[in-house]
Coordinates of all heavy atoms in Angstrom, one line a residue:
C985 N 11.4 -16.5 -2.7 CA 11.7 -17.6 -1.8 C 12.6 -18.6 -2.4 O 12.7 -18.8 -3.6 CB 10.4 -18.4 -1.4 SG 9.0 -17.3 -0.8
V986 N 13.3 -19.4 -1.6 CA 14.1 -20.5 -2.0 C 13.7 -21.7 -1.1 O 13.4 -21.6 0.1 CB 15.6 -20.3 -1.8 CG1 16.4 -21.6 -2.1 CG2 16.1 -19.2 -2.7
E987 N 13.6 -22.9 -1.8 CA 13.4 -24.1 -1.0 C 14.5 -25.1 -1.3 O 14.8 -25.3 -2.5 CB 12.1 -24.8 -1.3 CG 11.9 -26.1 -0.6 CD 10.5 -26.6 -0.6 OE1 10.1 -27.2 -1.6 OE2 9.8 -26.3 0.4
V988 N 15.2 -25.6 -0.3 CA 16.2 -26.7 -0.5 C 15.6 -28.0 0.0 O 15.3 -28.2 1.1 CB 17.4 -26.3 0.4 CG1 18.5 -27.5 0.3 CG2 18.1 -25.0 -0.1
G989 N 15.4 -28.9 -1.0 CA 14.8 -30.2 -0.7 C 13.3 -30.1 -1.0 O 12.5 -29.8 -0.2
V990 N 13.0 -30.5 -2.3 CA 11.6 -30.3 -2.7 C 10.7 -31.5 -2.5 O 9.6 -31.4 -2.2 CB 11.6 -30.0 -4.2 CG1 10.2 -29.8 -4.8 CG2 12.4 -28.7 -4.5
F991 N 11.3 -32.7 -2.6 CA 10.6 -34.0 -2.6 C 9.4 -33.9 -3.6 O 9.7 -33.7 -4.8 CB 10.2 -34.3 -1.2 CG 9.6 -35.7 -0.9 CD1 10.2 -36.8 -1.5 CD2 8.4 -35.8 -0.2 CE1 9.6 -38.1 -1.3 CE2 7.9 -37.1 0.0 CZ 8.5 -38.2 -0.6
T992 N 8.2 -34.0 -3.2 CA 7.1 -34.0 -4.1 C 6.4 -32.6 -4.2 O 5.4 -32.5 -4.8 CB 6.0 -35.0 -3.7 OG1 5.5 -34.7 -2.4 CG2 6.5 -36.4 -3.8
G993 N 7.1 -31.6 -3.7 CA 6.7 -30.2 -3.9 C 5.5 -29.8 -3.0 O 4.9 -28.7 -3.3
S995 N 5.6 -28.5 0.1 CA 5.9 -27.2 0.7 C 6.2 -26.1 -0.3 O 5.8 -24.9 -0.1 CB 7.1 -27.3 1.7 OG 8.2 -28.0 1.1
S996 N 6.8 -26.5 -1.5 CA 6.9 -25.5 -2.6 C 5.5 -25.0 -3.0 O 5.4 -23.8 -3.3 CB 7.6 -26.2 -3.8 OG 8.8 -26.6 -3.5
W999 N 4.4 -22.4 -0.4 CA 5.0 -21.1 -0.5 C 4.4 -20.4 -1.8 O 4.1 -19.1 -1.7 CB 6.5 -21.2 -0.7 CG 7.2 -22.2 0.2 CD1 8.3 -22.9 -0.1 CD2 6.9 -22.5 1.6 NE1 8.6 -23.7 1.0 CE2 7.8 -23.4 2.1 CE3 5.9 -22.0 2.5 CZ2 7.8 -24.0 3.3 CZ3 5.9 -22.6 3.8 CH2 6.8 -23.5 4.2
V1009 N 9.4 -18.9 -6.4 CA 10.0 -19.9 -5.5 C 11.1 -20.6 -6.3 O 10.8 -21.3 -7.2 CB 9.0 -20.9 -4.9 CG1 9.7 -21.9 -4.0 CG2 7.9 -20.2 -4.2
V1010 N 12.3 -20.5 -5.9 CA 13.4 -21.3 -6.5 C 13.5 -22.6 -5.7 O 13.9 -22.6 -4.6 CB 14.8 -20.5 -6.5 CG1 15.9 -21.4 -7.1 CG2 14.7 -19.2 -7.2
A1011 N 13.1 -23.6 -6.4 CA 13.0 -25.0 -5.7 C 14.1 -25.8 -6.1 O 14.3 -26.2 -7.3 CB 11.6 -25.6 -6.1
C1012 N 14.9 -26.2 -5.1 CA 16.2 -26.9 -5.4 C 16.1 -28.4 -5.0 O 15.8 -28.8 -3.9 CB 17.3 -26.3 -4.5 SG 17.5 -24.5 -4.6
D1013 N 16.4 -29.2 -6.0 CA 16.5 -30.7 -5.7 C 17.5 -31.3 -6.7 O 17.9 -30.6 -7.6 CB 15.1 -31.3 -5.9 CG 14.9 -32.5 -4.9 OD1 15.7 -33.5 -5.1 OD2 14.0 -32.5 -4.1
I1014 N 17.9 -32.5 -6.4 CA 18.9 -33.2 -7.2 C 18.3 -34.3 -8.1 O 19.0 -34.9 -8.8 CB 20.0 -33.8 -6.4 CG1 19.5 -34.8 -5.3 CG2 20.8 -32.7 -5.7 CD1 20.5 -35.5 -4.6
S1015 N 17.0 -34.5 -8.1 CA 16.4 -35.5 -8.9 C 14.9 -35.1 -9.2 O 14.3 -34.4 -8.4 CB 16.4 -36.8 -8.1 OG 15.6 -37.8 -8.7
T1016 N 14.5 -35.6 -10.3 CA 13.1 -35.4 -10.7 C 12.2 -36.6 -10.3 O 11.0 -36.5 -10.6 CB 13.0 -35.2 -12.3 OG1 13.5 -36.3 -12.9 CG2 13.7 -33.9 -12.7
T1019 N 9.9 -34.9 -7.7 CA 9.3 -33.6 -8.1 C 8.3 -33.8 -9.2 O 7.3 -33.0 -9.3 CB 10.4 -32.7 -8.5 OG1 11.2 -33.2 -9.6 CG2 11.4 -32.4 -7.4
W1026 N 1.1 -28.5 -8.8 CA 1.4 -27.1 -8.9 C 0.6 -26.5 -10.0 O 0.0 -25.4 -9.8 CB 2.9 -26.9 -9.3 CG 3.9 -27.4 -8.3 CD1 3.6 -27.8 -7.0 CD2 5.3 -27.6 -8.5 NE1 4.8 -28.2 -6.4 CE2 5.8 -28.1 -7.3 CE3 6.2 -27.4 -9.6 CZ2 7.2 -28.4 -7.1 CZ3 7.5 -27.7 -9.4 CH2 8.0 -28.2 -8.2
I1035 N 7.0 -21.3 -9.7 CA 8.0 -22.2 -9.1 C 9.1 -22.5 -10.2 O 8.8 -23.0 -11.3 CB 7.3 -23.5 -8.7 CG1 6.3 -23.2 -7.6 CG2 8.4 -24.5 -8.1 CD1 5.5 -24.4 -7.2
D1036 N 10.3 -22.1 -9.9 CA 11.4 -22.3 -10.7 C 12.2 -23.5 -10.2 O 13.0 -23.4 -9.3 CB 12.3 -21.0 -10.7 CG 13.6 -21.2 -11.6 OD1 13.7 -22.2 -12.3 OD2 14.4 -20.2 -11.5
L1037 N 12.0 -24.7 -10.7 CA 12.6 -25.9 -10.3 C 14.0 -26.0 -10.8 O 14.2 -26.0 -12.1 CB 11.8 -27.1 -10.7 CG 12.3 -28.5 -10.3 CD1 12.4 -28.6 -8.8 CD2 11.4 -29.6 -10.8
R1038 N 15.0 -26.1 -10.0 CA 16.4 -26.3 -10.4 C 16.9 -27.7 -9.9 O 17.0 -27.9 -8.7 CB 17.3 -25.2 -9.7 CG 16.8 -23.8 -9.9 CD 17.2 -23.1 -11.2 NE 16.8 -21.7 -11.2 CZ 17.6 -20.7 -11.0 NH1 18.9 -20.9 -10.7 NH2 17.2 -19.5 -11.1
I1039 N 17.2 -28.5 -10.9 CA 17.7 -29.8 -10.6 C 19.3 -29.8 -10.6 O 19.9 -29.8 -11.7 CB 17.2 -30.9 -11.6 CG1 15.7 -30.9 -11.6 CG2 17.8 -32.2 -11.3 CD1 15.1 -31.2 -10.2
A1040 N 19.8 -29.6 -9.4 CA 21.3 -29.5 -9.3 C 21.5 -29.4 -7.8 O 20.6 -29.2 -7.0 CB 21.8 -28.2 -9.9
P1041 N 22.8 -29.7 -7.3 CA 23.0 -29.6 -5.9 C 22.7 -28.2 -5.4 O 22.9 -27.2 -6.1 CB 24.6 -29.8 -5.8 CG 24.9 -30.6 -7.0 CD 23.9 -30.2 -8.1
A1042 N 22.0 -28.1 -4.2 CA 21.5 -26.9 -3.7 C 22.6 -25.8 -3.5 O 22.4 -24.6 -3.8 CB 20.8 -27.1 -2.4
V1043 N 23.8 -26.3 -3.1 CA 24.9 -25.3 -2.9 C 25.2 -24.6 -4.3 O 25.5 -23.4 -4.3 CB 26.2 -26.1 -2.4 CG1 27.4 -25.2 -2.4 CG2 25.9 -26.5 -0.9
D1044 N 25.2 -25.4 -5.4 CA 25.5 -24.8 -6.7 C 24.4 -23.8 -7.1 O 24.7 -22.8 -7.6 CB 25.6 -25.9 -7.7 CG 26.8 -26.8 -7.5 OD1 27.7 -26.5 -6.7 OD2 26.9 -27.9 -8.2
T1045 N 23.2 -24.2 -6.8 CA 22.1 -23.3 -7.2 C 22.1 -22.0 -6.4 O 21.9 -20.9 -6.9 CB 20.7 -24.0 -7.0 OG1 20.6 -25.1 -7.9 CG2 19.6 -23.0 -7.3
L1046 N 22.4 -22.1 -5.1 CA 22.4 -20.9 -4.3 C 23.6 -20.0 -4.7 O 23.5 -18.8 -4.8 CB 22.6 -21.3 -2.8 CG 21.4 -22.1 -2.2 CD1 21.7 -22.4 -0.7 CD2 20.1 -21.3 -2.3
Q1047 N 24.7 -20.6 -5.0 CA 25.9 -19.8 -5.5 C 25.6 -19.2 -6.8 O 26.0 -18.0 -7.1 CB 27.1 -20.7 -5.6 CG 28.4 -20.0 -5.9 CD 28.8 -19.0 -4.9 OE1 28.9 -19.3 -3.7 NE2 28.9 -17.7 -5.3
S1048 N 24.8 -19.9 -7.7 CA 24.5 -19.3 -9.0 C 23.6 -18.1 -8.8 O 23.7 -17.1 -9.6 CB 23.8 -20.3 -9.9 OG 22.5 -20.6 -9.4
L1049 N 22.7 -18.1 -7.8 CA 21.9 -16.9 -7.5 C 22.7 -15.7 -7.1 O 22.5 -14.6 -7.4 CB 20.8 -17.3 -6.5 CG 19.8 -18.3 -6.9 CD1 18.9 -18.7 -5.7 CD2 18.9 -17.7 -8.1
F1058 N 16.2 -12.0 -1.3 CA 15.2 -13.0 -1.0 C 14.6 -12.7 0.4 O 15.3 -12.3 1.3 CB 15.9 -14.4 -1.1 CG 16.0 -14.9 -2.5 CD1 17.1 -14.5 -3.2 CD2 15.1 -15.7 -3.1 CE1 17.3 -15.0 -4.5 CE2 15.2 -16.1 -4.4 CZ 16.3 -15.8 -5.1
F1060 N 12.7 -15.3 2.0 CA 12.5 -16.5 2.8 C 13.2 -17.7 2.1 O 13.2 -17.8 0.9 CB 11.0 -16.8 2.8 CG 10.6 -18.1 3.5 CD1 10.8 -18.3 4.8 CD2 10.0 -19.2 2.7 CE1 10.4 -19.5 5.4 CE2 9.7 -20.4 3.3 CZ 9.9 -20.6 4.7
I1061 N 13.9 -18.5 3.0 CA 14.6 -19.7 2.5 C 14.2 -20.8 3.5 O 14.4 -20.7 4.7 CB 16.1 -19.4 2.5 CG1 16.4 -18.3 1.5 CG2 16.8 -20.7 2.1 CD1 17.9 -18.0 1.4
Y1062 N 13.7 -21.9 2.9 CA 13.3 -23.0 3.7 C 14.2 -24.2 3.3 O 14.4 -24.6 2.2 CB 11.9 -23.4 3.3 CG 11.3 -24.6 4.0 CD1 11.0 -24.6 5.4 CD2 11.0 -25.8 3.3 CE1 10.5 -25.7 6.0 CE2 10.4 -26.9 4.0 CZ 10.2 -26.8 5.3 OH 9.6 -27.9 6.0
V1063 N 14.9 -24.8 4.4 CA 15.9 -25.8 4.2 C 15.3 -27.1 4.7 O 15.1 -27.3 6.0 CB 17.2 -25.4 4.8 CG1 18.3 -26.5 4.5 CG2 17.7 -24.1 4.3
D1064 N 15.1 -28.1 3.9 CA 14.5 -29.4 4.3 C 15.2 -30.5 3.5 O 14.7 -31.5 3.2 CB 13.0 -29.4 4.0 CG 12.4 -30.6 4.6 OD1 12.9 -31.2 5.6 OD2 11.3 -31.1 4.1
G1065 N 16.5 -30.3 3.2 CA 17.3 -31.3 2.5 C 18.8 -31.0 2.6 O 19.2 -30.0 3.1
D1066 N 19.6 -31.9 2.1 CA 21.0 -31.8 2.0 C 21.6 -31.4 3.4 O 22.3 -30.4 3.5 CB 21.4 -30.7 1.0 CG 22.8 -30.8 0.5 OD1 23.5 -31.8 0.9 OD2 23.3 -30.0 -0.3
I1073 N 25.0 -24.1 3.3 CA 23.7 -23.6 2.9 C 23.3 -22.4 3.7 O 22.8 -21.4 3.2 CB 22.6 -24.7 2.9 CG1 22.9 -25.7 1.7 CG2 21.2 -24.2 2.8 CD1 22.1 -27.0 1.8
L1076 N 25.4 -19.4 2.6 CA 25.0 -18.8 1.3 C 23.6 -18.2 1.5 O 23.3 -17.1 0.8 CB 24.9 -20.0 0.3 CG 26.2 -20.6 -0.1 CD1 26.0 -21.8 -1.0 CD2 27.1 -19.6 -0.8
S1077 N 22.7 -18.8 2.3 CA 21.4 -18.2 2.5 C 21.5 -16.8 3.1 O 20.7 -15.9 2.8 CB 20.6 -19.1 3.4 OG 20.4 -20.4 2.8
L1080 N 22.0 -14.4 0.5 CA 20.9 -14.1 -0.4 C 19.7 -13.4 0.3 O 19.0 -12.7 -0.4 CB 20.4 -15.5 -0.9 CG 21.2 -16.2 -2.0 CD1 20.8 -17.6 -2.2 CD2 21.2 -15.4 -3.3

Side-chain angles (χ1 to χ4, degrees):
C985 309
V986 174
E987 175 165 87
V988 175
V990 178
F991 189 44
T992 57
S995 46
S996 299
W999 317 144
V1009 178
V1010 178
C1012 309
D1013 212 298
I1014 57 172
S1015 169
T1016 60
T1019 58
W1026 299 346
I1035 302 174
D1036 177 8
L1037 179 62
R1038 309 276 186 100
I1039 302 300
V1043 169
D1044 293 349
T1045 297
L1046 298 180
Q1047 185 61 56
S1048 72
L1049 293 171
F1058 282 84
F1060 175 67
I1061 298 176
Y1062 180 67
V1063 184
D1064 190 23
D1066 200 3
I1073 289 168
L1076 294 173
S1077 296
L1080 287 167

